């Protein structure tokens, strides 16, 4: 048997029921590893003390209900620091909320608790989920376990490291423009951004409300599916959640039609990443799937639209953090001083940059030129994809143009933003998307994981899981 903390959720659930290990032993294996490695990796901003009641309750449920107990019963999970867990700090890796304690559970947390899951700790991230590396965390970056000179990706970088380094069996992250899928690709694990509205955002600290979704980071496609099935569902606490089958059901056939927009893959991608992607496609074709050349001409504008809409929503969402109600507060001579001092010192550089950008694109005189045009792009992209989905079951890209980069390499914000080119469209359109390991590329003698990215029609997560399993069978995971 693998080390307890190195098991998948599915393996651990089986081992717990077969009494090959106890809930306590599984917890100890993860938490001991987390304590041993967190100094180096900075995956967790806080590792929680043991909750004996929760462990005991989960063990009892497995003992009495056996196979009927939920698969997540007794499974140690990590939570991104922007997801509320009652009584615990949720800081969104910001000085602004460093001492903020959640007064209620996020809906996803409630669902995980109901399933008997236990929580190892809260994971590091880019401040308020803005970034692609965790370098924007107010508490120092997390480190990629494959190469400690390199970023783990972001913004859910801490969650990705927790899973990749086996400090927890799986984790939740949030994805506004790629923040689950990109760190999953950089650390060699699976990351799913569900359909917008499939998972409740109640209790998620909002970044871009029309783009944000909570989703799983996991060691396997099966584990991602287990977590997704547990956290999904309409929620009275989030009016943007959608009922089951709002969109037509998509059948999963044995031979999946995979759309490949080759015209978008000609430049701006590292040659070996493109080669790994092409090799995967060939193997999928050999396994009986059908590759279809598609054109997505408007996708070239997705990144520009994203970097207008997302800061616009950030600027409004973060307006409430003014040094008056809660969070970091600094007092000056006047009320205006209070605002300026609190927000200047409480927020990091990237957060301030995006608040300024967002305020600008929403201001009268510019809102038509920027925000409204970017917003109109969302419908254009949706239409372009729905045409493609008449011919294909999913669209494939590499998740990122390059493997994990070295700390400091993308200190120019524009170069950082460019890395999001393949992931933002799923958020702008609300479509579900998954990143699955597709092998490795070599940088300075170190082998670094890279990911393949698949997008499916709304509520067709089933197709993503099917493709994910097909990719896993090929054996890159
Ligand atoms: N990297 C993107 C950004 O910086 C995505 C962030 C996210 O998905 N939360 O906005």
């Amino acid at each position: 048997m693998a080390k307890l903390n190195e098991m998948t959720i599915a393996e651990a659930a089986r081992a717990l029921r077969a009494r090959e290990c106890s809930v306590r032993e599984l917890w100890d294996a993860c938490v001991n590893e987390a304590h041993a490695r967190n100094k180096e990796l900075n995956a967790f901003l806080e590792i929680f003390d043991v909750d004996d009641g929760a462990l005991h309750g989960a063990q009892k449920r497995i003992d009495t209900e056996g196979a009927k107990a939920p698969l997540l019963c007794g499974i140690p999970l990590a939570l991104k620091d922007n997801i509320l867990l009652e009584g615990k700090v949720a800081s969104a890796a910001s000085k602004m909320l460093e001492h903020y304690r959640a007064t209620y559970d996020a809906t996803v947390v409630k669902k995980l608790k109901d399933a008997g899951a236990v929580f190892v700790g809260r994971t590091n991230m880019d401040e308020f989920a803005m970034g692609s590396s965790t370098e924007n965390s107010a508490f120092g970056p997390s480190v990629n376990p494959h190469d400690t000179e390199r970023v783990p990706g972001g913004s859910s970088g801490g969650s990705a490291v927790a899973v990749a380094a086996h400090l927890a069996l799986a984790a939740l992250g949030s994805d506004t423009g790629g923040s689950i899928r990109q760190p999953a690709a950089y650390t060699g694990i699976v990351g799913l951004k569900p359909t917008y509205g499939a998972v409740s955002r109640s209790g998620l600290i909002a970044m871009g409300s029309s783009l944000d979704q909570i989703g799983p980071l996991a060691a396997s496609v099966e584990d991602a599916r287990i977590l997704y099935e547990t956290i999904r569902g309409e929620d009275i606490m989030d009016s943007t959640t959608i009922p089951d089958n709002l969109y037509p059901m998509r059948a999963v056939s044995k031979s999946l039609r995979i759309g490949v927009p080759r015209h978008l893959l000609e430049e701006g991608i590292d040659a070996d990443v493109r080669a790994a992607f092409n090799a995967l496609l060939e193997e999928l074709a050999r396994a009986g799937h059908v590759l279809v050349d598609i054109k997505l001409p408007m996708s070239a504008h997705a990144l520009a639209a994203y970097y207008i809409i997302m800061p616009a929503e950030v600027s409004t969402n973060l307006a409430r953090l003014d040094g008056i109600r809660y969070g970091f507060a600094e007092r000056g001579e006047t009320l205006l001083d209070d605002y300026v001092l609190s927000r200047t010192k409480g927020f990091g550089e990237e957060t301030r940059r995006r608040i300024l950008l967002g305020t600008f694109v929403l201001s009268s005189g510019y809102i038509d030129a920027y925000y409204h045009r970017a917003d109109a792009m969302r419908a254009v992209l949706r239409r372009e994809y729905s045409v493609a989905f008449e011919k294909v079951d999913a669209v494939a890209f590499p998740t990122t143009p390059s493997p994990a980069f070295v700390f400091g390499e993308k200190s120019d914000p524009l170069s950082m933003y460019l890395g999001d080119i393949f992931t933002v469209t799923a958020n702008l359109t609300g479509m579900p998307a998954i990143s699955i390991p597709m092998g490795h590329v070599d940088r300075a003698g170190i082998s670094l994981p890279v990911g393949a990215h698949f997008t499916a029609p709304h509520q067709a997560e089933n197709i993503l899981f099917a493709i994910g399993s097909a990719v896993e069978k090929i054996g890159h995971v």
Side-chain angles (χ1 to χ4, degrees), residues 72-317:
L72 287 174
C73 198
I75 301 294
L77 300 175
L79 279 182
K80 189 174 179 177
D81 193 35
N82 59 354
I83 299 174
L84 305 193
L85 176 59
E86 190 181 344
K88 301 286 186 200
V89 168
S91 78
S94 178
K95 199 172 160 199
M96 187 58 98
L97 292 178
E98 187 174 357
H99 305 295
Y100 169 73
R101 271 182 200 277
T103 54
Y104 64 98
D105 280 334
T107 297
V108 293
V109 168
K110 246 187 246 149
K111 290 185 174 211
L112 292 175
K113 282 185 176 173
D114 286 348
V118 288
F119 302 104
V120 176
R122 55 189 178 92
T123 57
N124 197 12
M125 56 187 278
D126 287 293
E127 183 178 22
F128 289 104
M130 285 172 241
S132 309
S133 66
T134 68
E135 291 169 292
N136 297 332
S137 167
F139 309 110
S142 302
V143 166
N144 194 315
H146 296 271
D147 179 354
T148 53
E149 310 267 288
R150 289 176 189 268
V151 304
S155 61
S156 314
S159 287
V161 175
V163 179
H166 309 292
L167 319 180
L169 265 51
L172 288 189
S174 66
D175 191 311
T176 306
S179 278
I180 289 175
R181 293 160 284 154
Q182 183 256 25
Y186 280 5
T187 57
I189 62 172
V190 175
L192 170 76
K193 185 207 79 83
T195 303
Y196 185 76
V199 176
S200 172
R201 291 180 295 111
S202 174
L204 170 70
I205 298 175
M207 177 198 182
S209 306
S210 76
L211 307 159
D212 298 339
Q213 268 298 280
I214 295 173
L217 294 106
S220 71
V221 172
E222 172 67 357
D223 284 4
R225 195 187 59 75
I226 292 168
L227 273 166
Y228 168 69
E229 291 296 344
T230 307
I231 61 174
R232 64 185 284 268
E234 212 175 350
D235 180 16
I236 196 163
M237 300 294 283
D238 174 2
S239 62
T240 63
T241 52
I242 53 175
D244 288 352
N245 307 329
L246 177 64
Y247 297 92
M249 274 268 283
R250 296 265 175 166
V252 178
S253 76
K254 272 223 155 105
S255 163
L256 292 158
R257 297 161 305 163
I258 300 168
V260 189
R262 296 203 187 264
H263 67 105
L264 294 173
L265 306 176
E266 276 154 20
E267 38 188 82
I269 302 183
D270 292 2
D272 49 4
V273 174
R274 191 190 297 113
F277 179 67
N278 286 335
L280 174 70
L281 292 178
E282 272 172 36
E283 290 179 78
L284 284 169
R286 215 169 297 138
H289 304 289
V290 181
L291 305 180
V292 183
D293 253 318
I294 57 165
K295 295 258 184 302
L296 299 168
M298 299 309 278
S299 289
H301 305 294
L303 195 63
Y306 172 80
Y307 274 100
I308 291 171
I309 293 168
M310 181 271 308
E313 295 191 11
V314 160
S315 73
T316 56
N317 272 325

Side-chain angles (χ1 to χ4, degrees), residues 248-400:
M249 274 268 283
R250 296 265 175 166
V252 178
S253 76
K254 272 223 155 105
S255 163
L256 292 158
R257 297 161 305 163
I258 300 168
V260 189
R262 296 203 187 264
H263 67 105
L264 294 173
L265 306 176
E266 276 154 20
E267 38 188 82
I269 302 183
D270 292 2
D272 49 4
V273 174
R274 191 190 297 113
F277 179 67
N278 286 335
L280 174 70
L281 292 178
E282 272 172 36
E283 290 179 78
L284 284 169
R286 215 169 297 138
H289 304 289
V290 181
L291 305 180
V292 183
D293 253 318
I294 57 165
K295 295 258 184 302
L296 299 168
M298 299 309 278
S299 289
H301 305 294
L303 195 63
Y306 172 80
Y307 274 100
I308 291 171
I309 293 168
M310 181 271 308
E313 295 191 11
V314 160
S315 73
T316 56
N317 272 325
L318 298 191
R320 74 186 77 134
L321 297 164
D322 55 6
I324 304 295
R325 294 171 180 82
Y326 57 95
F328 180 84
E330 180 103 354
R331 294 287 171 250
E333 302 273 292
T334 64
L335 181 62
L336 183 63
D337 286 348
D338 292 355
Y339 290 148
V340 171
L341 285 172
S342 302
R343 288 168 68 78
T344 306
K345 294 193 181 166
F347 290 134
E349 189 186 359
E350 181 63 20
T351 304
R352 294 199 304 273
R353 177 182 296 117
R354 294 200 195 189
I355 291 172
L356 290 175
L357 261 173
T359 308
F360 176 78
V361 299
L362 289 175
S363 57
S364 86
Y366 293 105
I367 190 166
D368 285 330
Y370 293 103
Y371 180 75
H372 286 150
R373 293 191 70 186
D375 196 40
M377 196 55 174
R378 302 177 78 158
V380 173
L381 290 167
R382 262 177 105 123
R383 215 171 311 126
E384 183 164 279
Y385 269 78
S386 55
V387 172
F389 286 134
E390 286 168 12
K391 286 197 297 189
V392 299
D393 298 304
V395 171
F397 288 109
T399 308
T400 57

